[in-house]
Amino acid sequence: MYERLSSAGTVATISSTQDPYEIPIGGRGFSVAFDPLDSAASVDVNFAVGSSWGVWTGSKLTGIKGRDLAAAGLTIYGPRTAMLVATGARAGVDEFVLTDAIDGVWQWVVSNRFETIDEDQPFRRAIFAPGNLRATAGNAGYRELIDFYIERCYHLRYSGGMVPDVLQLVIKGRGIFANPDGGAPAPARIRLLYEAAPAAFVIEKAGGASTDGASSLLDVVVQDTDQRTQVALGSKLEVARFDATVGPAKRA
């Protein structure tokens, strides 16, 4: 990723979860932040893993918001190598699938498009992907929310990785991914710049919603490249329920 972005000539600054700093690379036009291997702990057990990335206009990756994104995407390396891409210029999200090589060159082919969902047709309640379950020990609101899902027979679909879990919400068209803050024993771990903001951009472009418990993740200013946040992504109905039940992040 470093090599490709450096050779493009259109990228001024890069930053990644491995090097959480603003790194100038000499180009002009855009800045890119990325998590090259989300859910790396799943590699040894051969679960699906992915990448998340966001592209901003200009040379800065602090003092910006997710709503300023020029483009963002989620890539998954599973039975198919697929990528969801959203851009600021248009509504909806495109899915690309990596296909067989033609004349020695691998091809990305548009395989689907997820349009903005109507207000009266939000993602259907069915799937819940609950991250950071340890937070239920000290976060009564999150424990109440998990009980709600279980009592109403929501389907548990949690892979241990944000990218696979968020990608399924877009493709299935329903559900919620949540990873709240549980205070000192179980703090929020998802990085705003590399993970939360790009995923929120994709979800909202697909007609869903995002929150940090108080507002859209797209409205949270990136003050520091390694800034962490609690996250809920999915249908507007489910995200509103998270706000009402879990609310703003716990502070130890």
Side-chain angles (χ1 to χ4, degrees):
M1 289 184 179
Y2 279 92
E3 290 173 0
R4 294 284 183 165
L5 292 170
S6 296
S7 65
T10 55
V11 181
T13 306
I14 58 175
S15 187
S16 79
T17 52
Q18 276 62 46
D19 295 296
Y21 316 102
E22 293 181 89
I23 304 172
I25 59 172
R28 297 180 64 184
F30 301 96
S31 294
V32 181
F34 57 93
D35 181 357
L37 192 59
D38 170 71
S39 61
S42 298
V43 170
D44 60 346
V45 291
N46 206 30
F47 288 178
V49 295
S51 302
S52 57
W53 45 270
V55 181
W56 282 266
T57 302
S59 60
K60 297 295 293 178
L61 287 170
T62 53
I64 57 174
K65 297 183 292 186
R67 205 165 296 283
D68 302 326
L69 277 159
L74 306 173
T75 307
I76 189 165
Y77 316 108
R80 298 179 301 154
T81 297
M83 177 168 55
L84 296 182
V85 179
T87 66
R90 61 195 296 225
V93 174
D94 291 307
E95 181 190 45
F96 295 81
V97 172
L98 191 62
T99 64
D100 292 340
I102 299 175
D103 296 329
V105 179
W106 290 89
Q107 305 290 317
W108 286 101
V109 175
V110 177
S111 55
N112 214 329
R113 180 163 177 78
F114 304 97
E115 300 284 353
T116 302
I117 298 171
D118 295 334
E119 288 291 336
D120 60 350
Q121 282 276 311
F123 291 8
R124 297 183 304 281
R125 292 177 295 167
I127 295 170
F128 74 111
N132 200 17
L133 277 177
R134 292 182 304 162
T136 58
N139 188 323
Y142 191 38
R143 185 165 62 251
E144 179 184 340
L145 191 60
I146 295 299
D147 289 343
F148 175 90
Y149 297 147
I150 293 171
E151 289 167 3
R152 284 157 180 79
C153 298
Y154 279 47
H155 297 286
L156 174 63
R157 295 289 185 271
Y158 177 64
S159 71
M162 187 197 73
V163 169
D165 289 336
V166 172
L167 195 136
Q168 75 167 330
L169 301 181
V170 176
I171 293 175
K172 298 293 188 182
R174 60 189 185 273
I176 183 169
F177 168 82
N179 195 304
D181 184 11
R189 297 185 179 278
I190 292 182
R191 294 168 174 86
L192 176 62
L193 179 63
Y194 313 106
E195 302 165 295
F201 190 78
V202 170
I203 281 286
E204 293 202 17
K205 283 287 185 176
S210 73
T211 189
D212 66 350
S215 64
S216 167
L217 286 161
L218 298 183
D219 293 323
V220 181
V221 177
V222 178
Q223 305 286 359
D224 180 83
T225 54
D226 203 40
Q227 183 175 335
R228 312 299 174 101
T229 182
Q230 72 172 3
V231 170
L233 303 158
S235 79
K236 294 173 182 176
L237 178 64
E238 298 298 346
V239 167
R241 193 189 320 281
F242 181 95
D243 282 343
T245 308
V246 178
K250 293 174 67 67
R251 300 302 179 195

